[in-house]
Amino acid sequence: MKLKALLYIVAMCVMGGCLGGIFSCNRIQTNRPEEDMDSFLFDLSASMGDTSRDVVRKVDSMLQVTTDSFWYYRCLLLKSKIAFYEGRFDTSIVMLKQVERFGNRFAEDKRVFSIWADFFNMRGNIYGRKAQIDSMIWAFEKSYYYVQKSGNARIMPDICLNLADAYVRDGRYDWGAFWYRRSLSVMDSLRLPDYTRFPAYYGLAQVEMELRNFKDCDYYYDLAYQYFDRMRPYEKHIYLNNRGNSYYFRDDYQTALTYFRRSLALVSQYPELEFERNLTMVNLGEVFMLMNQTDSATYYLKLCYDYFHRTGNVSALYYIDTQLIELALKQGKVDLATRYLKQAVVPEYIEPNMLHIRNRYLEHYFAEKGDFRTAYRYQAENEKIDDSIRSERIRMRAEEIALKYKQDSTLMKKELLIQQQENEVLRLHQVTYGLASGLLLVLAVSALVVIYRKRKSDREQWNLQRAIAALRLENARNRISPHFIFNVLNRELASTQGVAQHNKLMNLAKLIRWNLELTDKEAVSLAEELDFVDTYVALESEGMEQFEYIRRIDDALSLPHVRIPSMLIQIPVENAIKHALRAKEGAKILWVEVKAMKNNELEVIVCDNGGGYRRNSAFKGTGTGLKVITQTIQMLNACNKQPIVLTVENVSLENGEQGCRIRFTIPLNYSYQLR
């Protein structure tokens, strides 16, 4: 027996921007700008759980100093929300009528649009408590219309959630899922914290539950549960109650009972959550009856009957009467079942799932009475309802998928085509075979594509690594012959007498050793790279007249801890000296600048005054060094979300000369691990 009908009497109302934390100040200042006043009211209305009395006190204080003004009715709306939250619906409605009269007086004032948005949001919540679903949807749509006109986007996510809840209660799960996803999009655009998304998550979980897609249902419930501790009491109730129902639909009554008991323990701590408390007892009574624990079932169903009778909730009474009839039959009390049947209320509209449950119990009832003809009639009627519900669920699932992908324009055409094909399969009663074969095909193709791309990527990366290694080796060979130089150095170091000459040879040996070591490294510290560059420049500058080396390093940088690709500065410096400055007449200037940027990036600049890059220059090199840099960066960028950016450009200098500037922008959190 399915309890789908029970979800239609749960009040899944999100109090459009009315629940959160409150200001701690006791004195209300009314001579503040409108934006500040609006924020004050928004924050004041943010929490009405344990501190609703404190909120009422502060709102009453504001009502005394804002008589018959725009802010007076904003405060009155807030007070109406508090009354609704505490279950005083008549009081809430009286306040709303005052707000409505004010809104009609100043209908053309743009500020009234935000009042109308809150007003219709509250009306929708009240219609929801009365199970007037059509009116509920109408009110929330009006609220959405006015919140768009007002430009007050802060309450738009809540109104989208309310619209989604209303469509779900109306059985239109495709539109319910659409509005839940719309609320998530709005939250993303407003950059709201992740924990604000849980109502949309457990709303989508409910949609998937109704469509019997329990895998996705559990996925969304698990997402929502991450923020369970941040939920307000009535939100925790919604989560526990609906998750219990999801296990009920799977006939896992023991797990369902666990969640319903947690829900009852929670709402029993809050007297204002009377509706939620009695709703949970209906659930407990139903589960205990299905587990044949008739005494417990009788206790909970009788306990909640008076509340729903007093509040005039006909849908709930109809459902409780249905359970009591079956409970009496399980206890062997056919006469008691007859009395319940005669006294049962009959709503104007009976949702198909409710009617289905009632018919099953009536089939049982007439079988016990010996009227098998009537029992058979109810059985036949239920078979028709089963077919109708199954077809409706399939249709809703198809439409829910279609709406989901309409929100993603890049996939819309593809998914609509797939959905049309699936609908044709459904009409031919071949759902199982079609979906199974299609799923296997997609998985096989996806696996082949993934394997192919992985192998192709690995092959390209390996080729790139080999090319870079070859280029580095070629670059090293082009610059210097290591074995020859080491032999010369060993001989010269043994015979040299002067300290300056000895230091020069030592620096040259150090340079060669570093050159060979860096060839095998992907990255080095900034301190190591600068030390190598300084040594190289010191050696090269001895044979150059009017040479000036300007080195600007940001003091805020920790040079030993900042890592950059090896030879990143060395190669541009070497190119600048060999191909631009060495043959230049007059002043020769080389700049190396390293600084930290505000967006957590490092900027490295190598610049010279050697006339700029000229494609046809007689001193143009082989380009091997630049290939080493570009291909190394290309390979490393493939393993990072934020890339290293290289720019090469000719620049005009202050003294009228032209130079070449190479700039690297390096993220400080850059990874040098090749994956």
Side-chain angles (χ1 to χ4, degrees):
M1 302 176 188
K2 304 304 180 185
L3 193 57
K4 175 182 175 184
L6 194 52
L7 293 173
Y8 288 93
I9 59 173
V10 74
M12 297 248 322
C13 52
V14 181
M15 307 282 291
C18 67
L19 306 173
I22 56 173
F23 278 30
S24 59
C25 56
N26 293 321
R27 184 177 179 183
I28 307 299
Q29 300 291 337
T30 59
N31 56 343
R32 60 181 73 193
E34 288 195 4
E35 291 184 1
D36 291 347
M37 193 70 170
D38 183 69
S39 297
F40 176 77
L41 285 176
F42 183 84
D43 293 331
L44 182 64
S45 66
S47 174
M48 300 187 304
D50 299 331
T51 56
S52 58
R53 292 296 90 200
D54 193 25
V55 176
V56 170
R57 178 178 57 80
K58 295 184 179 185
V59 171
D60 286 340
S61 175
M62 291 190 67
L63 287 172
Q64 295 175 9
V65 296
T66 56
T67 307
D68 198 29
S69 66
F70 172 78
W71 297 112
Y72 175 86
Y73 290 97
R74 287 289 302 274
C75 294
L76 199 62
L77 263 174
L78 177 55
K79 195 169 182 180
S80 172
K81 294 174 184 178
I82 297 171
F84 176 87
Y85 178 78
E86 294 178 342
R88 297 182 287 113
F89 305 129
D90 292 339
T91 303
S92 179
I93 292 172
V94 170
M95 296 178 186
L96 284 179
K97 288 181 178 178
Q98 296 182 53
V99 174
E100 185 177 19
R101 286 194 292 269
F102 172 78
N104 289 330
R105 283 166 51 197
F106 301 97
E108 301 302 322
D109 191 332
K110 186 176 180 180
R111 294 187 306 170
V112 176
F113 293 156
S114 60
I115 287 183
W116 281 126
D118 270 338
F119 169 81
F120 282 107
N121 193 40
M122 281 300 305
R123 286 285 296 271
N125 288 325
I126 291 172
Y127 284 135
R129 282 298 174 98
K130 294 181 178 180
Q132 299 174 2
I133 307 302
D134 290 341
S135 299
M136 180 185 183
I137 293 174
W138 169 82
F140 287 143
E141 286 179 343
K142 292 281 287 185
S143 178
Y144 186 78
Y145 167 77
Y146 279 110
V147 80
Q148 286 183 306
K149 292 190 67 174
S150 70
N152 185 7
R154 288 187 299 182
I155 65 172
M156 188 174 288
D158 294 326
I159 295 174
C160 290
L161 289 170
N162 283 352
L163 262 172
D165 296 338
Y167 278 116
V168 169
R169 291 183 64 183
D170 195 37
R172 295 155 69 180
Y173 306 119
D174 49 345
W175 283 101
F178 172 84
W179 283 105
Y180 284 131
R181 293 190 178 95
R182 172 66 63 83
S183 71
L184 290 173
S185 298
V186 174
M187 292 175 192
D188 288 339
S189 65
L190 295 176
R191 298 182 180 179
L192 297 181
D194 288 343
Y195 68 82
T196 61
R197 291 159 170 74
F198 67 80
Y201 291 149
Y202 63 52
L204 286 168
Q206 183 184 350
V207 170
E208 299 298 341
M209 175 184 68
E210 294 292 350
L211 298 176
R212 302 301 185 265
N213 184 5
F214 294 116
K215 181 179 178 181
D216 288 346
C217 171
D218 288 338
Y219 168 75
Y220 285 118
Y221 273 133
D222 290 340
L223 283 180
Y225 191 72
Q226 299 177 65
Y227 311 107
F228 185 80
D229 292 339
R230 304 194 70 129
M231 297 181 191
R232 304 176 190 97
Y234 84 95
E235 293 168 332
K236 290 181 178 179
H237 157 76
I238 292 173
Y239 175 87
L240 294 172
N241 180 75
N242 287 356
R243 187 144 204 189
N245 279 320
S246 75
Y247 286 101
Y248 172 90
F249 283 120
R250 288 174 258 193
D251 298 329
D252 185 355
Y253 301 130
Q254 194 60 51
T255 305
L257 190 63
T258 301
Y259 280 100
F260 292 146
R261 280 174 168 164
R262 284 181 63 187
S263 177
L264 184 62
L266 170 74
V267 297
S268 296
Q269 302 174 39
Y270 303 94
E272 65 272 16
L273 299 181
E274 187 177 9
F275 175 87
E276 289 77 7
R277 185 165 56 255
N278 284 277
L279 175 65
T280 306
M281 287 191 285
V282 176
N283 283 346
L284 284 167
E286 165 75 0
V287 173
F288 278 124
M289 185 188 70
L290 293 172
M291 296 174 70
N292 293 317
Q293 299 182 28
T294 55
D295 291 340
S296 297
T298 302
Y299 171 78
Y300 284 110
L301 290 174
K302 290 291 185 67
L303 199 62
C304 63
Y305 187 89
D306 290 340
Y307 169 78
F308 290 112
H309 186 271
R310 173 166 48 87
T311 57
N313 195 320
V314 180
S315 297
L317 292 175
Y318 179 86
Y319 189 77
I320 295 173
D321 287 337
T322 300
Q323 305 308 321
L324 289 175
I325 292 169
E326 177 66 8
L327 184 60
L329 293 175
K330 282 181 174 287
Q331 294 172 330
K333 301 176 182 178
V334 180
D335 293 339
L336 181 60
T338 302
R339 188 164 71 250
Y340 284 141
L341 185 59
K342 290 180 180 180
Q343 297 174 353
V345 298
V346 181
E348 294 181 4
Y349 169 74
I350 303 176
E351 198 273 332
N353 278 280
M354 282 190 177
L355 186 60
H356 182 269
I357 296 172
R358 174 67 70 94
N359 286 347
R360 289 189 61 130
Y361 292 166
L362 288 178
E363 177 190 342
H364 185 192
Y365 170 76
F366 283 107
E368 291 290 332
K369 295 276 289 185
D371 187 354
F372 297 105
R373 182 184 298 275
T374 305
Y376 177 76
R377 178 167 58 83
Y378 281 110
Q379 182 185 26
E381 185 177 342
N382 257 6
E383 289 178 355
K384 294 180 182 179
I385 294 176
D386 280 337
D387 291 339
S388 175
I389 291 175
R390 191 178 302 109
S391 299
E392 181 68 11
R393 186 176 295 127
I394 292 172
R395 186 183 69 82
M396 285 292 175
R397 179 61 179 164
E399 292 186 6
E400 191 271 336
I401 292 175
L403 280 175
K404 172 183 177 182
Y405 287 105
K406 279 183 180 179
Q407 292 172 290
D408 187 347
S409 59
T410 60
L411 295 175
M412 181 177 65
K413 292 183 179 180
K414 175 184 174 182
E415 294 304 326
L416 285 176
L417 177 61
I418 292 174
Q419 192 57 51
Q420 289 171 0
Q421 294 172 346
E422 289 180 351
N423 287 339
E424 292 174 3
V425 174
L426 291 173
R427 284 193 293 270
L428 295 173
H429 301 284
Q430 296 175 348
V431 177
T432 304
Y433 299 111
L435 288 179
S437 59
L439 181 61
L440 289 175
L441 179 61
V442 169
L443 289 176
V445 172
S446 300
L448 290 174
V449 170
V450 169
I451 292 172
Y452 171 76
R453 290 182 176 177
K454 181 67 169 61
R455 290 183 176 179
K456 182 179 178 182
S457 175
D458 290 344
R459 185 165 57 252
E460 290 176 351
Q461 182 170 309
W462 172 247
N463 291 337
L464 186 59
Q465 285 179 302
R466 288 197 305 174
I468 290 175
L471 284 170
R472 285 178 174 169
L473 184 58
E474 181 184 350
N475 189 49
R477 287 171 176 170
N478 287 340
R479 289 198 301 269
I480 198 163
S481 175
H483 297 292
F484 172 75
I485 294 300
F486 272 122
N487 290 335
V488 174
L489 285 177
N490 288 333
R491 185 170 60 251
E492 293 296 327
L493 282 172
S495 61
T496 186
Q497 299 297 327
V499 175
Q501 185 67 19
H502 185 273
N503 289 340
K504 179 179 178 180
L505 292 174
M506 287 295 292
N507 283 340
L508 181 57
K510 174 183 176 182
L511 191 67
I512 297 170
R513 187 182 306 108
W514 265 102
N515 180 69
L516 293 175
E517 290 179 3
L518 294 180
T519 301
D520 296 327
K521 291 185 178 181
E522 301 298 339
V524 295
S525 70
L526 187 56
E528 292 172 327
E529 182 74 7
L530 290 174
D531 183 38
F532 182 90
V533 170
D534 292 344
T535 303
Y536 174 78
V537 172
L539 287 171
E540 288 284 2
S541 63
E542 291 189 9
M544 298 170 61
E545 296 180 356
Q546 302 183 51
F547 175 78
E548 182 180 3
Y549 174 42
I550 301 175
R551 183 178 183 269
R552 300 191 185 103
I553 308 300
D554 194 336
D555 294 336
L557 291 172
S558 177
L559 302 186
H561 298 97
V562 177
R563 291 174 62 78
I564 63 173
S566 63
M567 299 188 288
L568 188 78
I569 304 176
Q570 169 201 345
I571 290 176
V573 166
E574 182 179 353
N575 285 343
I577 292 175
K578 288 175 62 177
H579 306 305
L581 298 179
R582 187 181 298 279
K584 183 180 182 297
E585 296 183 359
K588 306 172 182 66
I589 306 175
L590 173 68
W591 291 270
V592 173
E593 184 175 356
V594 182
K595 60 182 179 181
M597 302 175 70
K598 292 184 179 179
N599 53 354
N600 202 30
E601 291 181 334
L602 182 73
E603 184 180 62
V604 177
I605 296 175
V606 177
C607 184
D608 63 71
N609 69 337
Y613 175 76
R614 298 184 298 277
R615 187 176 299 273
N616 299 321
S617 172
F619 301 98
K620 181 168 69 76
T622 63
T624 303
L626 193 58
K627 287 181 183 178
V628 170
I629 294 177
T630 55
Q631 293 197 12
T632 300
I633 290 174
Q634 177 186 352
M635 181 175 63
L636 292 172
N637 281 348
C639 304
N640 287 271
K641 292 183 178 180
Q642 190 175 356
I644 294 176
V645 179
L646 163 64
T647 58
V648 180
E649 57 186 346
N650 288 334
V651 293
S652 297
L653 304 175
E654 294 181 357
N655 58 3
E657 291 185 303
Q658 190 174 38
C660 179
R661 179 170 62 192
I662 298 180
R663 176 191 286 113
F664 301 94
T665 303
I666 309 170
L668 289 177
N669 57 353
Y670 198 78
S671 172
Y672 297 96
Q673 295 294 324
L674 293 175
R675 296 184 294 276

